[in-house]
Amino acid sequence: MMDVNGKHRRQILRGLGASALTATALSGAPSRFTAHAADTSNYQALVCVFLFGGLDHNEVLIPYDTASYRRFRTLRSSLIIEQGESRQRERLLPITMQQNSVLQGRQMAMPPELPALKALFDRGDLAIVGNVGPLLEPVTRQRFERSAARLPPRLFSHNDQQSTWQASAPEGAQFGWGGLFADAVLATGANQRQPQFTTIASNEVGPFLTGRQVVPYRVGVKGAARVHLLDDYYDGFAEERAESLAAIRAQLAAQRFSGEHVLEQDLARAFAAAFDTNEAYDRARQAGDPLTTEFPQGPLGQQLHAVAETINVREQLFANKQVFFVGLGGFDTHSAQAENLPRLLEEVDGAMAAFYRAMTELELQEQVTLFTASDFGRTLAVNGDGTDHGWGGHHLVLGGAVKGGEIYGAMPPTELGHDADCGSGRLIPTMAVEQYAAELGRWFGLSQTELTNALPNLSRFDALKRTFL
């Protein structure tokens, strides 16, 4: 037998470090997993797709009527030349709506990279929410120019605006509204058997999923994190590998820990909970019937596949309510936008459409709502071959419960110098993130009091006149 107390064990332990903690989150020890399924007939889930870097919303919804398109083509001439045929008017995918008051007679289209999402819009399963962004109070252009408005701290900074979108405060914020939503549903008695599976991330996540009670459980695209480092030392030696894994698990899970220091005890409990949670999750995944829906192989497709597989075993996880977070980077398109953004939009289109097909396969399309978020929008003016940091932007909400086929919020004109332009076509948001989030939270079952607790700036804004859920 190989000596698991010798050199190999020390190498493995050094490689593992704190991975057991980062893989699972310190959510407390789970209840013991059983093979019996829970009644989750009232299941609901929110899925946040965060587009890191700042999505250029001007490439998601493009002016289509002749006059607006000509202005767009003039303002973005250098980009449109580089994009070639893909941004010629005849290649765009025009959308039609029953209610056109937001556009005031204008027409809009989606780019050719989003055919599946355009089809979902036409079917009424996708809504577009216009000009959303972080606000502390309603802001007009006049008040902005006079420095008379309270503005979110450190506007146009990636890290700070990602945090502000997720947690209503700049970098350093502790609690996100996804986590606080989860706290609220846990307080009603949901997910009590295994609360650690309430908020789940398949991407590096900021504060969005962290509440006062919940912290995110992290899954990989192929399931829970495992001790893959063992494979480097025991490849092909099944018996030795199993023995070593058992010894290392006992060590990291603190099975024989007897220390009296409070910090050592907390760390031991955390490691033990991490291993128990991973094992419960893996057993649940193994117990479920596999999905037949195929997902794209890109990062976002694989993350949403992991989310769909997790929702598929909601009964084995005893989950009635869940909040998920996935992300895709690359949207900071200061340069090479014509080359990079179409590829990213194609990935978003394929991944989100596959996810909706998977929810339809599970007959959960009415019970799962996916929505996009991003650091900020981008300027209408170009800097040569890219665009600069903006503020407000347009976002997508997808699901069977969505009042789709419509644009909600506001759609400022395609020009510079209008009332919502604070410079270079950088949009002053006309819908606060809190208003956007509140509609998602109401659908998720939160009361007005619970929404106010999760969204500290919500009381400064009026309720939306037209709701997308």
Side-chain angles (χ1 to χ4, degrees):
M1 291 294 179
M2 191 166 290
D3 178 13
V4 298
N5 295 312
K7 178 181 69 175
H8 291 292
R9 181 180 172 193
R10 289 193 297 273
Q11 290 174 321
I12 294 167
L13 288 173
R14 283 197 299 270
L16 285 170
S19 63
L21 296 178
T22 58
T24 58
L26 308 183
S27 54
S31 59
R32 290 294 175 185
F33 174 85
T34 72
H36 300 290
D39 177 12
T40 59
S41 56
N42 60 343
Y43 179 82
Q44 282 184 297
L46 288 170
V47 182
C48 176
V49 176
F50 206 97
L51 306 175
F52 288 96
L55 170 67
D56 185 357
H57 57 277
N58 299 294
E59 296 284 348
V60 172
L61 207 54
I62 301 172
Y64 188 73
D65 64 275
T66 303
S68 297
Y69 178 77
R70 283 176 178 170
R71 288 195 296 271
F72 178 76
R73 186 177 61 189
T74 299
L75 289 166
R76 292 206 151 191
S77 59
S78 61
L79 270 182
I80 290 177
I81 289 171
E82 291 188 37
Q83 289 166 324
E85 293 185 1
S86 70
R87 290 300 178 270
Q88 297 305 308
R89 186 173 181 271
E90 59 271 17
R91 290 288 308 279
L92 302 180
L93 309 175
I95 61 173
T96 57
M97 301 183 298
Q98 293 180 352
Q99 300 182 31
N100 198 18
S101 58
V102 170
L103 297 181
Q104 298 178 332
R106 291 170 290 155
Q107 293 178 290
M108 303 298 288
M110 297 176 79
E113 297 86 22
L114 299 179
L117 292 182
K118 195 268 184 183
L120 288 167
F121 182 92
D122 290 343
R123 282 176 40 185
D125 296 317
L126 178 77
I128 299 170
V129 185
N131 198 15
V132 186
L135 290 169
L136 298 181
E137 64 183 13
V139 176
T140 65
R141 179 183 175 186
Q142 291 74 23
R143 295 184 67 219
F144 178 87
E145 290 176 342
R146 297 198 313 266
S147 299
R150 295 177 64 239
L151 303 178
R154 298 190 281 279
L155 276 177
F156 320 126
S157 158
H158 286 292
N159 291 350
D160 293 298
Q161 296 314 298
Q162 289 167 13
S163 179
T164 301
W165 253 95
Q166 296 179 35
S168 303
E171 190 173 22
Q174 290 182 285
F175 307 121
W177 50 270
L180 295 172
F181 283 9
D183 283 349
V185 299
L186 285 182
T188 69
N191 298 9
Q192 287 303 301
R193 289 286 296 274
Q194 294 188 146
Q196 70 275 16
F197 297 121
T198 304
T199 57
I200 296 179
S202 64
N203 188 278
E204 294 294 336
V205 61
F208 180 72
L209 291 181
T210 301
R212 292 182 174 86
Q213 302 297 321
V214 301
V215 292
Y217 173 70
R218 177 80 181 275
V219 299
V221 296
K222 296 183 179 179
R226 297 176 180 274
V227 189
H228 293 296
L229 289 175
L230 288 171
D231 295 333
D232 296 336
Y233 299 99
Y234 302 109
D235 185 27
F237 298 92
E239 184 177 352
E240 288 85 348
R241 185 184 186 281
E243 181 180 336
S244 297
L245 180 58
I248 291 171
R249 188 200 186 286
Q251 178 79 11
L252 290 178
Q255 292 177 353
R256 292 182 289 275
F257 175 75
S258 59
E260 297 182 359
H261 194 286
V262 64
L263 293 179
E264 291 178 341
Q265 291 173 352
D266 284 348
L267 189 61
R269 282 194 294 269
F271 272 112
F275 273 93
D276 286 345
T277 300
N278 270 2
E279 290 176 355
Y281 180 80
D282 274 346
R283 289 189 185 116
R285 285 283 293 266
Q286 293 165 11
D289 294 328
L291 288 170
T292 62
T293 300
E294 294 186 4
F295 281 75
Q297 290 301 308
L300 185 59
Q302 291 305 291
Q303 289 177 67
L304 285 174
H305 188 197
V307 171
E309 291 284 7
T310 302
I311 292 173
N312 185 32
V313 295
R314 64 200 177 280
E315 295 179 352
Q316 289 80 6
L317 296 175
F318 299 94
N320 296 95
K321 302 264 192 176
Q322 292 180 295
V323 185
F324 295 88
F325 183 94
V326 302
L328 180 65
F331 290 90
D332 192 20
T333 50
H334 288 286
S335 60
Q337 179 164 318
E339 177 184 352
N340 295 326
L341 187 58
R343 170 182 52 80
L344 292 168
L345 292 178
E346 287 176 351
E347 184 165 356
V348 169
D349 185 72
M352 287 177 55
F355 182 78
Y356 189 76
R357 290 195 300 272
M359 294 305 99
T360 302
E361 178 185 341
L362 295 173
E363 299 183 349
L364 289 175
Q365 66 271 26
E366 299 278 344
Q367 294 162 262
V368 179
T369 296
L370 179 152
F371 61 96
T372 64
S374 190
D375 317 17
F376 33 63
R378 303 192 78 83
T379 57
L380 177 59
V382 299
N383 62 13
D385 63 346
T387 54
D388 292 322
H389 296 182
W391 188 356
H394 312 326
H395 287 283
L396 309 175
V397 185
L398 174 64
V402 174
K403 299 173 185 177
E406 294 289 342
I407 298 174
Y408 297 84
M411 194 60 54
T414 309
E415 57 191 38
L416 303 179
H418 55 76
D419 287 344
D421 180 7
C422 63
S424 301
R426 182 179 286 117
L427 296 182
I428 300 171
T430 47
M431 182 187 296
V433 171
E434 278 80 2
Q435 293 170 293
Y436 181 66
E439 292 308 306
L440 296 163
R442 288 190 184 94
W443 174 82
F444 203 48
L446 272 64
S447 68
Q448 188 62 37
T449 298
E450 290 166 335
L451 289 172
T452 301
N453 290 337
L455 301 164
N457 299 318
L458 181 61
S459 61
R460 297 178 181 140
F461 303 95
D462 295 333
L464 298 181
K465 294 180 181 179
R466 295 175 64 229
T467 59
F468 49 85
L469 279 168

